[in-house]
């Protein structure tokens, strides 16, 4: 990467213009940058059907309607900051892989293996809310700011960093990148997922602890199958542990510790249609 030397006043102006985002975390990128990164990553995914075979929308309209319906419901939460400015879309990748990821700008991806591993709508909604939080809290561009700072922003502006997109994608899909989500990102995504679900409670009273149950089952299978398992990717991109579970319990209690619904039958009817 080329080195750039900027006069201090330009540096200062850039920092003041971009500054901290609403999390109070430094983010050099604009909302439009998040959207453009998401678009570019989505274009890479669409251009590579052997690695990312998409589930046919025309052949499986009910599966898409179900998954998009859950996304639309979570986006109704007042806590979502970019409901109107991000394009928000979900794609389903037809592979028996336990993974899901969120690109910047509201671009979400779920594998069929992930959808069928979920045992209820409440579990899927929990993990969907978690992925939405990664996008809406702008974790990817926040991490890019931390890891590369201003230098990468300038390189991107002048198109000198072609490897960066693949590095972001690797971080999102397999966690093998220093742009992968951090533990702090995971805690924040868990917390907001619970708050989003709680705030749409008048429409769908999801059991908030379903997300923990999902993560616990992922961990159990991972422990049995080991590093090489098909479950490895999601576990690496979303490292789960007892601390995360305890933190989620605390928020669940703060939100009133209510027992919600799982909506298992609705979920099973849709999952049964998957190829
Ligand atoms: Zn996560």
């Amino acid at each position: 990467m080329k080195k750039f030397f900027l006069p201090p006043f330009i540096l200062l102006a850039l920092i003041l213009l971009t500054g901290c985002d609403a999390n109070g975390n430094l983010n050099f990128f604009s909302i439009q940058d998040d959207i453009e990164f998401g678009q570019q990553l989505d274009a890479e995914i669409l251009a590579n059907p052997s690695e990312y075979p998409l589930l046919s929308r025309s052949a499986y309209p009910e599966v898409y309607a179900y998954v998009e319906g859950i996304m639309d419901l979570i986006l109704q939460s007042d806590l979502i900051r970019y409901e109107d400015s991000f394009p928000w879309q979900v794609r389903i990748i037809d592979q028996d892989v336990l993974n899901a990821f969120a690109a910047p700008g509201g671009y979400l991806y779920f594998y069929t293996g992930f959808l069928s591993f979920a045992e209820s709508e409440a579990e899927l909604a929990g993990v969907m809310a978690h992925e939405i939080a990664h996008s809406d809290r702008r974790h990817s561009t926040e991490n890019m700011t931390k890891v590369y700072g201003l230098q990468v922003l300038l390189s991107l502006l002048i198109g000198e960093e072609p490897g960066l997109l693949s590095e972001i994608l690797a971080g999102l899909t397999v966690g093998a990148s220093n742009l992968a989500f951090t533990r702090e990102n995971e805690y924040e995504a868990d917390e907001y997922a619970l708050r989003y679900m709680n705030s749409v409670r008048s429409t769908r009273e999801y059991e908030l602890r379903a997300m923990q149950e999902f993560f616990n089952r992922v961990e159990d299978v991972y422990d049995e199958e080991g590093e090489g398992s098909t479950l490895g990717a999601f576990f690496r991109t979303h490292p789960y542990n007892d601390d995360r579970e305890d933190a989620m319990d605390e928020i669940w209690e703060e939100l009133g510790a209510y027992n919600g619904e799982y909506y298992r039958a609705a979920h099973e009817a849709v999952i049964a249609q998957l190829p």
Side-chain angles (χ1 to χ4, degrees), residues 74-88:
I74 306 278
L75 291 176
Q76 281 173 23
S77 166
D78 293 342
L79 298 166
I80 304 281
R81 298 178 301 174
Y82 305 111
E83 186 202 348
D84 297 327
S85 32
F86 283 177
W88 296 108

Side-chain angles (χ1 to χ4, degrees), residues 130-131 134 181 186 189 237-238:
H130 175 104
E131 297 302 325
H134 278 310
F181 293 136
E186 291 309 321
T237 51
H238 296 77

Side-chain angles (χ1 to χ4, degrees), residues 23 66 78 97 99 121 165 167 169 174 218 220 243 256-257 261:
N23 305 350
Y66 172 63
D78 293 342
V97 168
N99 205 2
E121 184 183 323
L165 267 185
E167 193 172 348
L169 195 56
V174 292
V218 172
D220 288 346
D243 292 348
E261 302 285 333

Side-chain angles (χ1 to χ4, degrees), residues 73-254:
L73 173 62
I74 306 278
L75 291 176
Q76 281 173 23
S77 166
D78 293 342
L79 298 166
I80 304 281
R81 298 178 301 174
Y82 305 111
E83 186 202 348
D84 297 327
S85 32
F86 283 177
W88 296 108
Q89 62 161 52
V90 56
R91 294 198 192 278
I92 301 173
I93 300 167
D94 185 10
Q95 262 178 357
D96 194 18
V97 168
L98 184 64
N99 205 2
F101 58 95
Y107 291 82
L108 313 177
Y109 303 85
F110 284 83
Y111 286 77
T112 48
F114 189 94
L115 299 180
S116 46
F117 190 80
E119 291 179 353
S120 66
E121 184 183 323
E123 282 190 5
L124 184 56
V127 194
M128 172 81 78
H130 175 104
E131 297 302 325
I132 286 175
H134 278 310
S135 271
D136 198 63
R137 309 304 297 175
R138 306 184 62 210
H139 289 159
S140 288
T141 45
E142 188 183 296
N143 291 340
M144 285 163 67
T145 302
K146 265 187 215 142
V147 174
Y148 294 111
L150 199 52
Q151 199 177 37
V152 77
L153 175 62
L154 293 169
S155 319
L156 285 168
L157 286 176
I158 56 170
E160 289 213 355
E161 201 50 66
L164 186 71
L165 267 185
S166 352
E167 193 172 348
I168 301 171
L169 195 56
L172 291 173
T173 55
V174 292
S177 156
N178 55 4
L179 292 177
F181 293 136
T182 63
R183 282 173 55 90
E184 282 168 7
N185 294 156
E186 291 309 321
Y187 281 109
E188 191 177 60
D190 290 340
E191 176 182 345
Y192 276 86
L194 295 174
R195 295 189 188 282
Y196 298 157
M197 283 197 292
N198 182 59
S199 65
V200 297
R201 202 171 142 188
S202 58
T203 310
R204 210 79 167 138
E205 194 167 28
Y206 290 126
E207 167 59 55
L208 297 188
R209 287 167 304 174
M211 179 171 58
Q212 281 157 266
E213 290 161 20
F214 181 91
F215 279 122
N216 275 325
R217 289 210 323 282
V218 172
E219 189 180 19
D220 288 346
V221 179
Y222 183 76
D223 285 346
E224 274 168 35
E225 292 191 10
E227 182 72 12
S229 81
T230 54
L231 303 170
F234 188 70
F235 197 73
R236 273 193 300 278
T237 51
H238 296 77
Y240 191 68
N241 56 39
D242 291 346
D243 292 348
R244 262 180 77 187
E245 189 167 10
D246 293 346
M248 281 195 256
D249 275 338
E250 273 178 32
I251 292 163
W252 175 69
E253 279 166 26
E254 183 205 313

